[in-house]
Amino acid sequence: MTSAPTHGRRLLLEYVGNARLMSLSAVDGDGAPAILPLPFRAAFAPDRLMFIAHRERPLVAGLAARPKVAGSIIAGPGQGVTFAGLTTVAESPGPGRLAPGEQLYRIDVTEWLLFDENAAEFRVHPVRS
């Protein structure tokens, strides 16, 4: 029998690894809450989410002063994860890979919360990084 943390980690890797869109929530440059849907790439061990955004978007403009973010990734009907972490500017992927004004960002995930409405043991299940 698989233990819950091991099974939870496997589900986390599956849900996040197969998804391509996240909703990112932070405080914008004016101090107001903001949410932004973004394509992303995931890396694990350490757990990180990478995204590209224009520097002038309201949510992105506030990340330097307030790098704490939270978000969600929907994997399928009733399945997904929420996360919390710290955002930093990442090294550019190389010339010509970003449009003018765009920047690559990295979220170092500090907490995951797995949800699966079809599996009773994972309706709300913390999976630590």
Side-chain angles (χ1 to χ4, degrees), residues 60-67:
V60 176
L63 290 177
R66 298 177 187 94

Side-chain angles (χ1 to χ4, degrees), residues 10-27:
R10 184 187 62 74
L11 287 177
L12 172 74
L13 296 174
E14 177 185 328
Y15 291 174
V16 176
N18 292 332
R20 294 292 167 249
L21 187 66
M22 68 176 166
S23 293
L24 185 64
S25 177
V27 177

Side-chain angles (χ1 to χ4, degrees), residues 20-29 32-40 49-63 68-74 83 87 101-103 105 107:
R20 294 292 167 249
L21 187 66
M22 68 176 166
S23 293
L24 185 64
S25 177
V27 177
D28 71 16
I35 192 162
L36 183 63
L38 291 163
F40 74 96
L49 302 172
M50 307 291 285
F51 67 94
I52 295 171
H54 197 280
R55 290 180 192 102
E56 294 181 13
R57 292 189 93 152
L59 180 140
V60 176
L63 290 177
K68 292 181 181 179
V69 296
S72 65
I73 299 168
I74 305 301
F83 62 88
T87 305
E102 286 185 334
Q103 179 66 55
Y105 296 88
I107 301 169

